[in-house]
Amino acid sequence: MENLLKDFELSPKDRSIETLAKWRSAVSLVKNPRRRFRWVADLAKRKNAQEKCRKLQGKIRAIIYAEKAALQFMEAIAPAEYKVSEKTRKAGFGFEPDDIASFVRSHDYKNYKKIGEVEGIIEKLSVSVDDGVSQDSVDTRQEIYGVNRYTEKPSKSFLMFVWEALHDLTLIILMVCALVSICIGLPTEGWPKGLYDGLGIILSIFLVVIVTAVSDYQQSLQFRDLDKEKKKIFVQVTRDSKRQKVSIYDLVVGDIVHLSTGDQVPADGIYISGYSLVIDESSLTGESDPVNIDEKRPFLLSGTKVQDGQGKMIVTTVGMRTEWGKLMETLSEGGEDETPLQVKLNGVATVIGKIGLTFSVLTFVVLTIRFVVEKAIRGELAIWSSNDALKLLDYFAIAVTIIVVAIPEGLPLAVTLSLAFAMKKLMNDKALVRHLSACETMGSATCICTDKTGTLTTNHMVVNKIWICGKSLEIKGNESVDKLKTQISEEVLSILLRAIFQNTSSEVVKDKDGKMSILGTPTESALLEFGMLSGGDFDAQRSVYKILKVEPFNSVRKKMSVLVGLPDGGVQAFCKGASEIVLKLCNKVIDPNGTVVDLSDEQARNVSDIINGFASEALRTLCLAVKDVNETQGEASIPEDGYTLVAIVGIKDPVRPGVKEAVQSCLAAGISVRMVTGDNINTAKAIAKECGILTEGGIAIEGPQFRDLSPEQMKSIIPRIQVMARSLPLDKHTLVTRLRNMFGEVVAVTGDGTNDAPALHESDIGLAMGIAGTEVAKENADVIIMDDNFTTIVNVARWGRAIYINIQKFVQFQLTVNIVALIINFVSACITGSAPLTAVQLLWVNLIMDTLGALALATEPPNDGLMQRPPVGRTTSFITKPMWRNIFGQSLYQLIVLAVLTFDGKRLLRINGSDATMVVNTLIFNSFVFCQVFNEINSREIEKINIFRGMFESWIFFSVILSTVVFQVVIVEFLGTFASTVPLSWQFWVLSVVIGAISMPIAAILKCIPVERRDTATPHDGYEALPSGPELA
C-alpha cells in the first residue's frame, strides 16, 4: 500500500503550491468534490489572493516612498482643506473618517503639521491623552468612524451543507435510477407497489444526505468557534482615566493605545510618545527593514508589529478603512492547508476506489451477461418487457451502490472530523490549535524544548530575598520590610525605590473601586509590589522625576536601562537585569555603612557567590544598579559601564503543580524534555531537578558555551543536553535546527517573546504562550497554550496520538466492510445471478461505515495507554501489519458466514415457503450489519484484547452503536417494503446477533497471532506486548 501512496506524501510545514497541487492531480474517483475538498485549500483562490496581496503591498510601498520624496518638496505644495459634515460636527469631532484615514495612510506629513501635529489630532478627535476615550462616547465614535472589524466570508447555513451532500455523483445517479424505476414500475406493477423500489432508494438517499449534512455542519460550527478564539487579541488602552485591556474589535477612533515589544498595531494611528519604538512593516509592505517611529515619522499602520521599544498612539482609523482591513479580506480567501494525514487518506481512498470501480463494473457485466444468457436459453432473447428493463435497472443501481460503498469518501473526512473534535476539546483544555496539521504532528513529537518561567513555574512571582549594603535578608511580609528599613539608611532606601519605580515598563493603576493593581510582566510586578511594601509611592516618584531615555528589556540584552532627570537638574542612570550581566557593568558598590565604595575583585566574587546562592534555591536573581551622569538633561545618553551596585533581588517563582508528573509522562512516552531559559544556570538546574527534567547523566549548559561548540561537538553533546541557561533566542533556534536536521527529531518548542518567532517557525510544532506570549510569537506558532502550562502541552501530545490511533481504527473498520461488501456481492452475482444486498441495504451499510463509523471511532478521547508508547515515526507505515491481520481475519470470517448463508442458507436453516429467498436475504443483511456493529467495537483496540475499556465513557461511540442497532430493527421489521426485507423471527434475530458477536472471540484469537513488526520491542500503537500462554487470561 505504501508504494501506491508515494504521490500522497506531504510535509507538515512549509508546503509550496506545486507540492499541494501534485497530490490533487493524483486523486481520482471522487464522488463529491465539494464535500471531499471542503477542508482543503483552494489553490486558485489562494493564488488570486496572493496576487491581490502583492498589489496591495506594492501600493503601500509606493505611498511610503512617495512620502519620502514629498518631504523634500513639502513647502511647495498647498495643504489640503478638510471639510466636516454637520453630523460629525454635532458629534463633537473635527475630522471626517475618510479624510483622517487618507492622510494617515498616505503619510501626509505636511497636513499633519498644519493640523497641529498630534496635539491638533487629539483636539479634533475630542480626547485627552491622560483620560482617554470616555466609555459614554464609544457608541457615537463607532457610528461616525466605524467599528474595528474586517469583512469576512459569511458562514454556511445548514441547508448549504445539505445542498453540498446532494452533489455526490453516485447519489445523483441513484436518484435518476429511482425516478426511472418509479416511471417504469407504476405502469407495470401499479399503485402503490410500483413506487416501492424507487421510493426506498430515495428515502435512503435522504437519510444519507441528512446524516452527512448534520455531521458536516457540526464540524463547521466547531471550526467557527476555533476561528473566533484565534482572532481574540487584547490591547492596553486608557479609558475613563484608567488603563485597561480591551479587545481589538472594541477599539474606537480616539482610543489611546499602549504599545510594547511584540504587540501588533491594532489600528491606524499617530504616535504620541514613547522610547526606541521600532516597527516591522513587512506584513504590509513586504519590506524587511524596520522603521523607527518618532515625532518626525509618527504614522502607525494597522497590522504592523512592534519589534522593539514601547510607546503610546492615538487611533485614527479602524476596520475596513485601513489597508490591513483590505489585506485581511483578501487573505481570508483560499482556506487552510490540508494535513499530511488527510492527504494520505485521500490516497488510500483513491486506491480503494479504483479497486471498487473494477468490482462494480465486473458485477454489472456478470449480472447482465447471466441475464441475457438465461433469456437466450429460454428462447426469449427477442422479447423484452418493462420487467426486463426494471431488472437491468436494478443491476445498474446495485453496481452504482457498490461504488458508493467502495469509494471510502469518509476516510479523508474522518481526519477532519477527528481534528475538529480534538481541537474543540483542546480549546476547552486551554490549548488553541492555529494550524490543523499541528494536532497530527504533535502525536509524533520526540522532543519538547520548553521555557521555564510561566510554563514549568506558576509565573506568580514575589521577592523572596534581597542582598543590600552587604546584608542578605529573607522577605516575608511587612515585618521583614520593617527590619530591612532599620538596617539600611534612608538615602539607600531612596535609591533602591528609585531603581525600582523609575526603571520599569509596568504601571500601577487604580480600578473603579480605587484598588491598586499592577499592569506588567510578573517579574516587574514582583519588584513593584516589593517597592510599595517598602513604603514607596509609584505616582509620587513618577511625578517628581522625569524619564529622559529608555532602553527596554529584551531577550538579547537581558537588561533594562533608563536615564532619569532629577529635580535639581542632575541626571541618573538606572540599570537592572540578569545578575551576571549587570554585575559586569558595576565598578562600585554600596557598603554596610551606606557609603559608595570601589567594587574589588574579592567583593565581586562574594557578590557572585550571593547570586549563585540565591539561584541554587531556585530564585530568579536580578541586579539593580545606579550611576550619576554628568551631562545635561538634553544631551545625556545611557552609559554602558561605571555603575554602582545597589541590590541583588531573589524572586521566587514556584513550580506548577502537576508539572513533575507531566514530565514523567513525557519520558514514559519516549518524549525527551529540554529546558531552554534565559535565567541563571543554577536557578535553571534547581528548577529542572525539581521538575524531573535534569537527570543523572544529563548536561546543563549555558548559551555562550553552547554557541562556541563546533558542529562535531554539538553532535556528541546535544543528545545529553537537558538544560540550557542564559540562552539567546538564536541559541534556541540553533538547538531546534540541530535536533531536527542532525538527529531527525520531531521537535515541539515553546516561545513567548518576539525573538522566539524564528525558533517557533523552524520547529515542527511551535507552541506560543497565551498569557506571557507576544502577538508576534502567537502568529508564528501552531498552537497557543492559553494557560502557559506545561501540563497542557502534554495534553496536546496525548490528543495528537489519539487522532492518529483513532484514524487507524476507523481505516481498519472501513476496509473490512469494503472488502466483504465487494466480494460477497461480486461472487454472488457471478454464481447466483443476483446480489444478496440491495441498493437500499448497501446505502444503509455505507452510512454505518462512513459517517456513523467516523463519528464512533474518530472521536474517541485519549486513554492513559497512549502515553506509554513511543512516538509514531515520520516514515512509519500508516496501515500496519497488525491492522492488515485484523482486516483479513475479520473479512475471511464474515465472507465464510455470509457465503454459507447465501448458497446453503435455506437448507441449513430449513427455510421453506414462497418468501424463503426474502427471509434468507434479510438474514444475510441483518447478520452483515451485526458483524459490522461488533467489528466496530473490535476496532476500538488494534492489538489489545480488552476492547471494552472506556467504551461507556465515550458517549458518542455508545450512542452510535445504540442508534445503529435500533434503526436496523426498524428497517427489518417495519420498512421492509422499501428496504426489500421481511420481519424475522426471534430465533433469526438471535442468530444474527450471535454471528456478529462471534467476531469478538475471533478478534481476540487474531491478536494472539504474531506479525512481523519493524520495532519488535514496542507494538505499533505502543501498548505493552500481548501476554502469551497462561498470562493471556
Side-chain angles (χ1 to χ4, degrees):
M1 178 66 85
E2 291 301 312
N3 292 330
L4 298 172
L5 300 177
K6 283 177 183 175
D7 291 333
F8 297 92
E9 295 293 334
L10 194 69
S11 63
K13 271 189 166 185
D14 303 326
R15 303 77 167 259
S16 63
I17 285 184
E18 291 72 26
T19 309
L20 294 172
K22 183 183 174 185
W23 77 263
R24 284 166 173 74
S25 61
V27 172
S28 55
L29 298 173
V30 179
K31 293 188 292 183
N32 188 348
R34 279 198 184 198
R35 183 168 180 248
R36 172 84 78 89
F37 301 122
R38 182 187 296 129
W39 307 115
V40 162
D42 187 323
L43 299 185
K45 281 186 179 178
R46 180 175 288 186
K47 195 173 180 182
N48 289 337
Q50 287 173 347
E51 192 57 41
K52 284 183 191 174
C53 181
R54 275 195 290 272
K55 284 179 182 175
L56 269 172
Q57 286 179 333
K59 180 181 164 189
I60 297 162
R61 272 200 305 274
I63 288 168
I64 291 168
Y65 291 145
E67 172 228 348
K68 289 177 183 174
L71 284 171
Q72 299 171 26
F73 306 102
M74 202 177 287
E75 297 305 320
I77 305 166
E81 292 293 328
Y82 295 114
K83 294 178 182 177
V84 182
S85 67
E86 192 61 30
K87 182 182 178 184
T88 305
R89 189 178 289 108
K90 278 185 179 177
F93 307 122
F95 260 128
E96 284 299 308
D98 289 331
D99 288 341
I100 194 168
S102 174
F103 103 74
V104 172
R105 182 171 61 241
S106 59
H107 290 39
D108 188 349
Y109 193 74
K110 181 165 183 67
N111 280 302
Y112 171 69
K113 288 203 68 135
K114 186 203 169 194
I115 289 159
E117 300 188 355
V118 72
E119 291 79 10
I121 288 169
I122 288 167
E123 185 185 336
K124 284 179 181 289
L125 293 178
S126 300
V127 72
S128 154
V129 174
D130 295 328
D131 298 335
V133 165
S134 163
Q135 196 64 42
D136 299 334
S137 72
V138 167
D139 291 341
T140 308
R141 290 173 187 276
Q142 287 184 334
E143 187 184 338
I144 300 289
Y145 293 102
V147 293
N148 198 28
R149 288 185 178 273
Y150 314 122
T151 304
E152 294 182 55
K153 266 195 313 185
S155 50
K156 290 181 184 176
S157 65
F158 174 70
L159 290 176
M160 276 301 295
F161 285 96
V162 173
W163 177 244
E164 285 188 358
L166 283 167
H167 278 72
D168 189 312
L169 182 62
T170 51
L171 294 186
I172 292 168
I173 293 170
L174 286 174
M175 279 189 270
V176 172
C177 290
L179 291 172
V180 172
S181 173
I182 291 168
C183 292
I184 298 172
L186 282 174
T188 55
E189 298 182 16
W191 175 274
K193 196 178 177 187
L195 280 174
Y196 291 154
D197 286 348
L199 198 58
I201 293 174
I202 288 170
L203 287 174
S204 299
I205 289 169
F206 175 77
L207 180 66
V208 169
V209 165
I210 292 299
V211 172
T212 301
V214 167
S215 173
D216 291 349
Y217 182 60
Q218 284 296 112
Q219 282 178 53
S220 79
L221 291 179
Q222 288 174 327
F223 282 125
R224 197 189 306 169
D225 290 346
L226 188 74
D227 207 42
K228 280 181 188 171
E229 201 67 38
K230 280 184 199 175
K231 291 174 182 172
K232 280 185 182 175
I233 299 175
F234 290 88
V235 289
Q236 299 265 359
V237 300
T238 300
R239 278 193 187 173
D240 292 325
S241 307
K242 294 177 180 67
R243 189 161 158 180
Q244 53 192 274
K245 268 188 179 182
V246 299
S247 166
I248 58 165
Y249 299 122
D250 296 331
L251 275 186
V252 292
V253 169
D255 260 324
I256 307 298
V257 178
H258 300 259
L259 298 171
S260 56
T261 306
D263 285 347
Q264 177 175 305
V265 178
D268 286 2
I270 297 289
Y271 171 83
I272 299 171
S273 62
Y275 310 102
S276 312
L277 190 61
V278 180
I279 298 291
D280 174 10
E281 293 185 343
S282 59
S283 54
L284 269 184
T285 64
E287 297 284 339
S288 57
D289 293 337
V291 178
N292 291 299
I293 300 294
D294 51 31
E295 290 79 5
K296 292 181 181 176
R297 185 163 186 170
F299 303 105
L300 288 153
L301 297 179
S302 177
T304 55
K305 311 290 189 306
V306 181
Q307 190 168 305
D308 203 0
Q310 57 194 58
K312 274 197 284 194
M313 66 173 268
I314 180 168
V315 174
T316 58
T317 318
V318 293
M320 288 306 295
R321 285 191 174 93
T322 66
E323 292 298 333
W324 182 250
K326 295 166 191 169
L327 202 61
M328 288 303 287
E329 183 184 22
T330 304
L331 292 175
S332 65
E333 297 289 334
E336 187 177 344
D337 281 357
E338 51 273 22
T339 73
L341 210 47
Q342 281 175 320
V343 173
K344 188 166 275 191
L345 290 180
N346 265 296
V348 173
T350 299
V351 171
I352 294 168
K354 287 175 181 175
I355 297 167
L357 179 65
T358 306
F359 271 91
S360 170
V361 171
L362 284 172
T363 303
F364 179 69
V365 169
V366 167
L367 286 171
T368 305
I369 290 171
R370 278 190 64 107
F371 178 71
V372 171
V373 168
E374 283 172 3
K375 276 185 76 71
I377 290 169
R378 292 197 301 270
E380 299 172 358
L381 198 58
I383 307 163
W384 290 85
S385 65
S386 55
N387 280 333
D388 293 335
L390 272 176
K391 196 81 171 169
L392 288 172
L393 187 69
D394 187 40
Y395 291 160
F396 182 70
I398 288 168
V400 172
T401 315
I402 286 174
I403 296 175
V404 173
V405 177
I407 300 177
E409 202 85 334
L411 278 183
L413 296 170
V415 182
T416 312
L417 177 66
S418 189
L419 287 168
F421 182 78
M423 288 195 295
K424 183 75 176 172
K425 290 288 185 186
L426 282 170
M427 198 161 72
N428 295 336
D429 292 341
K430 304 293 182 187
L432 176 63
V433 179
R434 292 186 73 251
H435 300 133
L436 285 176
S437 56
C439 250
E440 284 177 19
T441 314
M442 197 64 192
S444 301
T446 58
C447 169
I448 298 174
C449 295
T450 176
D451 289 330
K452 175 184 74 68
T453 307
T455 310
L456 300 171
T457 59
T458 60
N459 221 8
H460 296 147
M461 300 194 189
V462 289
V463 174
N464 185 260
K465 278 190 171 184
I466 186 168
W467 178 90
I468 189 168
C469 295
K471 305 177 185 79
S472 186
L473 190 71
E474 195 166 354
I475 306 296
K476 289 184 178 177
N478 290 323
E479 290 178 11
S480 303
V481 172
D482 292 340
K483 186 179 175 185
L484 172 67
K485 287 179 182 176
T486 62
Q487 295 189 9
I488 62 174
S489 67
E490 280 191 28
E491 189 183 347
V492 174
L493 180 62
S494 174
I495 293 171
L496 175 65
L497 293 178
R498 280 208 300 279
I500 290 172
F501 289 131
Q502 301 303 325
N503 190 13
T504 181
S505 58
S506 296
E507 283 191 37
V508 179
V509 296
K510 287 182 182 177
D511 60 19
K512 293 173 185 175
D513 305 321
K515 189 181 175 186
M516 307 287 274
S517 61
I518 299 169
L519 295 173
T521 64
T523 308
E524 298 261 29
S525 300
L527 277 177
L528 287 182
E529 274 179 28
F530 172 69
M532 289 189 291
L533 198 64
S534 303
D537 186 325
F538 181 82
D539 292 331
Q541 285 263 356
R542 283 299 178 98
S543 62
V544 173
Y545 302 95
K546 183 185 177 186
I547 293 178
L548 305 175
K549 287 190 179 178
V550 176
E551 191 182 72
F553 177 90
N554 69 28
S555 51
V556 177
R557 285 192 290 265
K558 298 195 184 297
K559 63 183 174 70
M560 176 180 179
S561 307
V562 294
L563 214 56
V564 177
L566 306 178
D568 61 6
V571 177
Q572 275 188 328
F574 292 96
C575 181
K576 76 167 181 208
S579 302
E580 309 94 286
I581 290 169
V582 176
L583 181 59
K584 287 176 184 174
L585 308 181
C586 297
N587 60 8
K588 291 183 175 64
V589 66
I590 300 175
D591 72 2
N593 301 319
T595 309
V596 175
V597 296
D598 289 335
L599 181 66
S600 66
D601 291 343
E602 188 181 344
Q603 281 176 309
R605 282 193 293 272
N606 290 338
V607 173
S608 292
D609 291 341
I610 295 290
I611 292 167
N612 291 332
F614 281 14
S616 60
E617 294 175 41
L619 298 181
R620 185 172 217 187
T621 64
L622 289 178
C623 255
L624 308 181
V626 65
K627 180 179 182 180
D628 289 316
V629 181
N630 296 323
E631 290 95 337
T632 62
Q633 290 193 14
E635 302 170 358
S637 60
I638 298 173
E640 284 298 322
D641 54 21
Y643 284 91
T644 299
L645 178 61
V646 176
I648 299 198
V649 178
I651 298 172
K652 183 77 174 170
D653 186 13
V655 171
R656 282 182 184 270
V659 162
K660 188 169 185 179
E661 291 75 13
V663 170
Q664 291 305 316
S665 175
C666 282
L667 298 177
I671 304 171
S672 59
V673 181
R674 292 176 169 89
M675 180 200 287
V676 184
T677 177
D679 239 332
N680 179 293
I681 191 162
N682 292 313
T683 307
K685 283 162 75 173
I687 295 286
K689 282 177 183 172
E690 196 175 338
C691 296
I693 292 172
L694 186 58
T695 57
E696 194 175 339
I699 290 175
I701 192 170
E702 288 190 315
Q705 186 186 346
F706 177 74
R707 249 168 278 148
D708 292 339
L709 295 174
S710 66
E712 291 74 24
Q713 289 172 317
M714 281 189 179
K715 196 166 187 178
S716 64
I717 204 170
I718 282 176
R720 292 185 294 137
I721 291 177
Q722 293 175 340
V723 175
M724 191 189 291
R726 285 290 179 241
S727 65
L728 299 177
L730 180 64
D731 300 326
K732 186 187 280 188
H733 182 268
T734 304
L735 179 65
V736 169
T737 308
R738 293 281 190 268
L739 282 166
R740 292 184 76 221
N741 299 340
M742 276 186 178
F743 303 98
E745 300 249 21
V746 180
V747 183
V749 64
T750 68
D752 50 22
T754 306
N755 294 317
D756 285 329
L760 289 169
H761 188 265
E762 174 65 26
S763 65
D764 294 284
I765 314 103
L767 306 160
M769 299 298 107
I771 299 169
T774 61
E775 288 308 317
V776 173
K778 290 174 188 176
E779 197 175 87
N780 281 276
D782 303 297
V783 181
I784 299 171
I785 307 300
M786 293 189 285
D787 60 357
D788 291 12
N789 194 341
F790 185 79
T791 309
T792 306
I793 297 171
V794 179
N795 200 31
V796 176
R798 289 175 77 239
W799 272 103
R801 293 183 176 205
I803 289 167
Y804 192 87
I805 293 292
N806 286 347
I807 301 303
Q808 283 187 314
K809 294 173 186 176
F810 176 61
V811 168
Q812 176 180 297
F813 167 69
Q814 194 168 50
L815 290 186
T816 306
V817 185
N818 274 81
I819 289 169
V820 176
L822 285 176
I823 293 176
I824 195 70
N825 266 22
F826 175 69
V827 172
S828 178
C830 291
I831 297 173
T832 67
S834 65
L837 299 174
T838 66
V840 172
Q841 290 168 1
L842 281 172
L843 280 171
W844 169 233
V845 169
N846 180 63
L847 193 61
I848 293 172
M849 78 172 197
D850 200 325
T851 308
L852 294 178
L855 264 176
L857 292 168
T859 60
E860 286 223 82
N863 56 57
D864 294 335
L866 290 175
M867 295 305 281
Q868 293 166 8
R869 69 174 183 88
V872 178
R874 288 182 194 266
T875 56
T876 306
S877 173
F878 179 72
I879 305 177
T880 60
K881 290 181 179 179
M883 287 170 69
W884 283 122
R885 175 197 62 197
N886 297 341
I887 290 165
F888 288 133
Q890 288 291 342
S891 300
L892 187 62
Y893 163 70
Q894 290 181 28
L895 285 168
I896 290 169
V897 169
L898 296 176
V900 168
L901 289 175
T902 302
F903 301 119
D904 206 20
K906 290 180 190 176
R907 185 185 66 80
L908 286 174
L909 299 172
R910 296 172 187 172
I911 300 170
N912 303 306
S914 58
D915 63 347
T917 303
M918 282 290 285
V919 172
V920 169
N921 284 345
T922 304
L923 181 62
I924 291 168
F925 168 56
N926 209 35
S927 301
F928 180 63
V929 168
F930 274 100
C931 279
Q932 307 327 315
V933 168
F934 283 99
N935 194 37
E936 205 163 349
I937 299 170
N938 286 331
S939 296
R940 291 189 70 249
E941 294 287 356
I942 292 172
E943 289 211 59
K944 291 201 88 175
I945 291 174
N946 182 7
I947 52 177
F948 298 106
R949 184 181 64 174
M951 187 173 91
F952 300 103
E953 294 167 20
S954 177
W955 67 268
I956 297 178
F957 183 89
F958 192 69
S959 302
V960 167
I961 295 293
L962 193 63
S963 57
T964 304
V965 171
V966 169
F967 208 78
Q968 178 66 14
V969 172
V970 172
I971 287 173
V972 170
E973 295 295 321
F974 307 106
L975 299 177
T977 310
F978 303 106
S980 306
T981 60
V982 291
L984 295 175
S985 65
W986 70 267
Q987 291 96 335
F988 284 157
W989 272 104
V990 170
L991 178 62
S992 300
V993 174
V994 168
I995 287 170
I998 288 172
S999 69
M1000 285 184 167
I1002 286 173
I1005 293 166
L1006 285 170
K1007 288 168 188 175
C1008 295
I1009 299 171
V1011 287
E1012 184 187 342
R1013 301 188 186 105
R1014 288 179 186 176
D1015 181 5
T1016 53
T1018 50
H1020 91 291
D1021 65 354
Y1023 295 127
E1024 61 273 14
L1026 284 166
S1028 56
E1031 295 177 5
L1032 191 60

